[in-house]
Coordinates of all heavy atoms in Angstrom, one line a residue:
T1 N 117.5 43.2 -103.4 CA 118.1 44.5 -103.4 C 117.7 45.4 -104.6 O 117.2 44.8 -105.6 CB 119.7 44.4 -103.4 OG1 120.1 43.7 -104.5 CG2 120.1 43.7 -102.1
P2 N 117.9 46.7 -104.6 CA 117.3 47.6 -105.6 C 117.5 47.2 -107.1 O 116.6 47.3 -107.9 CB 117.8 48.9 -105.2 CG 118.1 48.9 -103.8 CD 118.5 47.5 -103.5
L3 N 118.8 46.8 -107.4 CA 119.1 46.6 -108.8 C 118.3 45.4 -109.3 O 118.2 45.1 -110.6 CB 120.6 46.4 -109.0 CG 121.5 47.6 -108.8 CD1 122.9 47.3 -109.4 CD2 120.9 48.9 -109.4
H4 N 117.8 44.5 -108.4 CA 117.1 43.4 -108.8 C 115.6 43.6 -108.7 O 114.8 42.6 -108.8 CB 117.5 42.2 -108.0 CG 119.0 41.9 -108.1 ND1 119.5 41.0 -109.1 CD2 120.1 42.4 -107.5 CE1 120.8 41.0 -108.9 NE2 121.2 41.9 -108.0
R5 N 115.2 44.8 -108.3 CA 113.7 45.1 -108.1 C 113.3 46.2 -109.0 O 112.3 47.0 -108.7 CB 113.5 45.5 -106.7 CG 113.8 44.4 -105.6 CD 113.2 43.1 -105.9 NE 111.8 43.0 -105.9 CZ 111.0 42.7 -104.9 NH1 111.5 42.4 -103.7 NH2 109.7 42.6 -105.0
G6 N 114.0 46.5 -110.1 CA 113.5 47.4 -111.1 C 114.3 48.7 -111.2 O 114.0 49.5 -112.1
F7 N 115.3 48.9 -110.4 CA 116.1 50.1 -110.5 C 117.4 49.9 -111.3 O 118.0 48.9 -111.2 CB 116.5 50.6 -109.1 CG 115.4 51.3 -108.4 CD1 114.7 50.6 -107.4 CD2 114.9 52.6 -108.7 CE1 113.6 51.2 -106.7 CE2 113.9 53.2 -108.0 CZ 113.2 52.5 -107.0
D8 N 117.7 50.8 -112.2 CA 118.9 50.7 -113.0 C 120.1 51.1 -112.3 O 121.2 50.5 -112.5 CB 118.7 51.7 -114.2 CG 117.6 51.3 -115.1 OD1 117.3 50.1 -115.3 OD2 116.9 52.2 -115.6
T9 N 120.0 52.0 -111.3 CA 121.2 52.4 -110.5 C 120.7 52.6 -109.1 O 119.6 52.9 -108.8 CB 121.9 53.6 -111.0 OG1 121.0 54.8 -110.9 CG2 122.3 53.5 -112.5
F10 N 121.7 52.5 -108.2 CA 121.4 52.7 -106.7 C 122.6 53.2 -106.0 O 123.7 52.7 -106.2 CB 121.0 51.3 -106.1 CG 120.9 51.3 -104.6 CD1 120.0 52.2 -104.0 CD2 121.7 50.5 -103.8 CE1 119.9 52.2 -102.6 CE2 121.6 50.5 -102.4 CZ 120.7 51.3 -101.8
L11 N 122.5 54.3 -105.3 CA 123.5 54.7 -104.3 C 122.7 54.9 -103.0 O 121.9 55.8 -102.9 CB 124.2 56.0 -104.7 CG 125.1 56.6 -103.7 CD1 126.3 55.7 -103.5 CD2 125.5 58.0 -104.0
G12 N 123.0 54.1 -102.0 CA 122.3 54.3 -100.7 C 122.6 53.2 -99.7 O 123.6 52.5 -99.8
F13 N 121.7 53.0 -98.8 CA 121.9 52.1 -97.7 C 120.7 51.2 -97.6 O 119.5 51.5 -98.0 CB 122.1 52.8 -96.4 CG 121.0 53.8 -96.0 CD1 120.1 53.5 -95.0 CD2 121.0 55.1 -96.5 CE1 119.1 54.4 -94.7 CE2 120.0 56.0 -96.2 CZ 119.1 55.7 -95.2
Y14 N 120.9 50.0 -97.1 CA 119.9 48.9 -97.0 C 119.0 49.0 -95.8 O 117.9 48.6 -95.8 CB 120.6 47.5 -97.1 CG 121.3 47.2 -98.3 CD1 122.4 46.4 -98.3 CD2 120.8 47.5 -99.6 CE1 123.1 46.0 -99.5 CE2 121.4 47.2 -100.8 CZ 122.5 46.4 -100.7 OH 123.2 46.0 -101.9
N15 N 119.6 49.4 -94.7 CA 118.9 49.3 -93.4 C 118.0 50.5 -93.1 O 117.8 51.4 -94.0 CB 119.9 49.1 -92.3 CG 120.6 47.8 -92.3 OD1 119.9 46.8 -92.1 ND2 121.9 47.7 -92.6
S16 N 117.5 50.6 -91.9 CA 116.5 51.6 -91.5 C 117.2 53.0 -91.5 O 116.5 54.0 -91.7 CB 115.8 51.3 -90.2 OG 116.8 51.2 -89.2
H17 N 118.4 53.1 -91.1 CA 119.1 54.3 -91.0 C 120.6 54.1 -90.9 O 121.0 52.9 -90.7 CB 118.7 55.1 -89.7 CG 119.0 54.4 -88.5 ND1 118.2 53.3 -88.0 CD2 120.0 54.6 -87.6 CE1 118.8 52.9 -86.9 NE2 119.8 53.6 -86.6
I18 N 121.4 55.1 -91.0 CA 122.8 55.1 -90.8 C 123.3 56.4 -90.2 O 122.5 57.3 -90.0 CB 123.6 54.9 -92.2 CG1 123.2 56.0 -93.2 CG2 123.4 53.5 -92.7 CD1 123.9 56.0 -94.5
S19 N 124.5 56.4 -89.7 CA 125.0 57.7 -89.2 C 125.3 58.6 -90.5 O 125.6 58.1 -91.6 CB 126.3 57.5 -88.4 OG 127.2 56.7 -89.1
Y20 N 125.2 59.9 -90.3 CA 125.3 60.8 -91.4 C 126.7 61.0 -92.0 O 126.8 61.4 -93.2 CB 124.7 62.2 -91.0 CG 123.2 62.2 -90.9 CD1 122.5 61.6 -89.8 CD2 122.4 62.8 -91.9 CE1 121.2 61.6 -89.8 CE2 121.1 62.8 -91.8 CZ 120.4 62.2 -90.8 OH 119.0 62.2 -90.7
Y21 N 127.7 60.7 -91.2 CA 129.1 60.9 -91.7 C 129.9 59.7 -92.0 O 130.6 59.7 -93.0 CB 129.8 61.8 -90.7 CG 129.5 63.3 -90.8 CD1 128.7 63.9 -89.9 CD2 129.9 64.1 -91.9 CE1 128.3 65.2 -90.0 CE2 129.6 65.4 -92.0 CZ 128.8 66.0 -91.0 OH 128.4 67.3 -91.1
D22 N 129.7 58.6 -91.2 CA 130.5 57.4 -91.5 C 129.7 56.3 -92.0 O 130.2 55.2 -92.2 CB 131.3 57.0 -90.3 CG 130.5 56.7 -89.0 OD1 129.3 56.6 -89.2 OD2 131.1 56.6 -88.0
Y23 N 128.3 56.5 -92.1 CA 127.4 55.5 -92.8 C 127.4 54.2 -92.1 O 127.3 53.1 -92.8 CB 127.8 55.4 -94.3 CG 128.2 56.7 -95.0 CD1 129.2 56.7 -95.9 CD2 127.5 57.9 -94.7 CE1 129.6 57.9 -96.5 CE2 127.9 59.0 -95.3 CZ 128.9 59.1 -96.3 OH 129.3 60.2 -96.9
R24 N 127.4 54.2 -90.8 CA 127.4 52.9 -90.1 C 126.0 52.7 -89.5 O 125.3 53.6 -89.1 CB 128.4 52.9 -89.0 CG 129.8 52.9 -89.5 CD 130.8 52.8 -88.3 NE 130.8 51.5 -87.7 CZ 131.5 50.4 -88.2 NH1 132.2 50.5 -89.4 NH2 131.4 49.3 -87.6
Y25 N 125.6 51.4 -89.4 CA 124.4 50.9 -88.8 C 124.7 49.9 -87.8 O 125.5 49.0 -88.0 CB 123.4 50.4 -89.8 CG 122.2 49.7 -89.3 CD1 121.1 50.4 -88.9 CD2 122.2 48.3 -89.1 CE1 120.0 49.7 -88.4 CE2 121.1 47.6 -88.6 CZ 120.0 48.3 -88.2 OH 118.9 47.7 -87.7
S26 N 124.0 49.9 -86.6 CA 124.2 48.9 -85.5 C 122.9 48.3 -85.1 O 121.9 49.0 -85.0 CB 124.9 49.6 -84.3 OG 126.1 50.2 -84.7
N27 N 123.0 47.0 -84.8 CA 121.8 46.3 -84.3 C 122.3 45.0 -83.6 O 123.0 44.2 -84.1 CB 120.9 45.8 -85.5 CG 119.7 45.1 -85.1 OD1 119.0 45.5 -84.1 ND2 119.4 44.0 -85.7
Q28 N 121.8 44.9 -82.3 CA 122.1 43.7 -81.5 C 123.6 43.3 -81.5 O 123.9 42.2 -81.9 CB 121.2 42.6 -81.9 CG 119.7 42.8 -81.7 CD 118.9 41.6 -81.9 OE1 119.4 40.5 -82.0 NE2 117.6 41.8 -81.9
N29 N 124.4 44.2 -81.1 CA 125.9 44.0 -81.0 C 126.5 43.7 -82.4 O 127.7 43.2 -82.4 CB 126.2 42.8 -80.1 CG 125.7 43.1 -78.6 OD1 125.9 44.2 -78.2 ND2 125.1 42.1 -78.0
M30 N 125.8 44.0 -83.4 CA 126.4 43.9 -84.8 C 126.5 45.3 -85.3 O 125.5 46.1 -85.2 CB 125.6 43.0 -85.7 CG 125.5 41.6 -85.3 SD 124.8 40.5 -86.5 CE 123.1 41.1 -86.6
S31 N 127.6 45.7 -85.9 CA 127.8 47.0 -86.4 C 128.6 47.0 -87.7 O 129.6 46.2 -87.7 CB 128.4 48.0 -85.4 OG 128.6 49.3 -85.8
G32 N 128.3 47.8 -88.6 CA 129.1 47.8 -89.9 C 128.7 48.9 -90.8 O 127.7 49.7 -90.6
Y33 N 129.4 49.0 -91.8 CA 129.3 50.1 -92.9 C 128.1 49.7 -93.8 O 127.9 48.5 -94.1 CB 130.6 50.1 -93.7 CG 130.7 51.1 -94.8 CD1 131.0 52.4 -94.5 CD2 130.4 50.8 -96.1 CE1 131.1 53.4 -95.5 CE2 130.5 51.7 -97.1 CZ 130.9 53.0 -96.8 OH 131.0 53.9 -97.8
D34 N 127.3 50.7 -94.1 CA 126.1 50.4 -95.0 C 125.9 51.6 -96.0 O 125.1 52.4 -95.8 CB 124.9 50.2 -94.1 CG 123.6 49.9 -95.0 OD1 123.8 49.6 -96.2 OD2 122.5 49.9 -94.4
M35 N 126.8 51.6 -97.0 CA 126.6 52.5 -98.1 C 127.0 51.7 -99.4 O 128.1 51.1 -99.4 CB 127.4 53.7 -98.0 CG 127.2 54.7 -99.1 SD 125.6 55.4 -99.2 CE 125.6 56.5 -97.8
H36 N 126.1 51.7 -100.4 CA 126.4 50.8 -101.5 C 126.1 51.6 -102.8 O 125.3 52.5 -102.9 CB 125.4 49.6 -101.5 CG 125.6 48.8 -100.3 ND1 126.4 47.6 -100.3 CD2 125.1 48.9 -99.0 CE1 126.4 47.1 -99.1 NE2 125.6 47.8 -98.3
R37 N 127.0 51.3 -103.8 CA 126.7 51.8 -105.2 C 126.5 50.6 -106.0 O 127.4 49.7 -106.2 CB 127.9 52.6 -105.7 CG 127.7 53.2 -107.1 CD 128.8 54.0 -107.6 NE 128.9 55.3 -106.9 CZ 128.2 56.4 -107.1 NH1 127.2 56.3 -108.0 NH2 128.4 57.5 -106.4
G38 N 125.2 50.5 -106.5 CA 124.9 49.2 -107.2 C 124.8 48.1 -106.2 O 124.3 48.2 -105.1
D39 N 125.5 47.0 -106.5 CA 125.5 45.8 -105.6 C 126.8 45.8 -104.7 O 126.9 44.9 -103.9 CB 125.5 44.5 -106.5 CG 124.2 44.3 -107.1 OD1 123.2 44.7 -106.5 OD2 124.2 43.7 -108.2
D40 N 127.6 46.8 -104.9 CA 128.9 46.8 -104.2 C 129.0 47.9 -103.1 O 128.4 48.9 -103.2 CB 130.0 47.0 -105.2 CG 130.1 46.0 -106.3 OD1 129.9 44.8 -106.0 OD2 130.3 46.4 -107.5
P41 N 129.8 47.6 -102.0 CA 130.0 48.6 -101.0 C 130.7 49.8 -101.6 O 131.6 49.7 -102.5 CB 130.9 47.9 -100.0 CG 130.7 46.4 -100.2 CD 130.4 46.3 -101.7
A42 N 130.3 51.0 -101.1 CA 130.9 52.2 -101.6 C 131.9 52.8 -100.5 O 131.6 53.8 -99.9 CB 129.8 53.2 -102.0
H43 N 133.0 52.1 -100.4 CA 133.9 52.4 -99.2 C 134.6 53.7 -99.5 O 135.2 54.3 -98.5 CB 134.9 51.3 -99.0 CG 134.3 50.1 -98.4 ND1 133.8 50.1 -97.1 CD2 134.1 48.8 -98.8 CE1 133.3 48.9 -96.8 NE2 133.5 48.1 -97.8

């Protein structure tokens, strides 16, 4: 993840895309929230 690859701070998502308002990503019947500040979810 970004904080372990040379970035001091990170606000963003891990996957290819998310929805613009609720920040969810779905793949193969799995769906969940994907917005993070640093190493932690930004709920």
Side-chain angles (χ1 to χ4, degrees):
T1 59
L3 294 195
H4 303 267
R5 303 306 300 263
F7 285 104
D8 296 322
T9 65
F10 170 62
L11 173 68
F13 56 100
Y14 292 147
N15 288 296
S16 61
H17 64 281
I18 52 175
S19 51
Y20 283 76
Y21 282 104
D22 60 13
Y23 320 139
R24 295 185 69 83
Y25 169 83
S26 300
N27 180 45
Q28 296 191 9
N29 297 318
M30 297 189 294
S31 181
Y33 183 84
D34 185 8
M35 183 65 73
H36 299 264
R37 183 176 290 280
D39 289 329
D40 300 318
H43 285 294

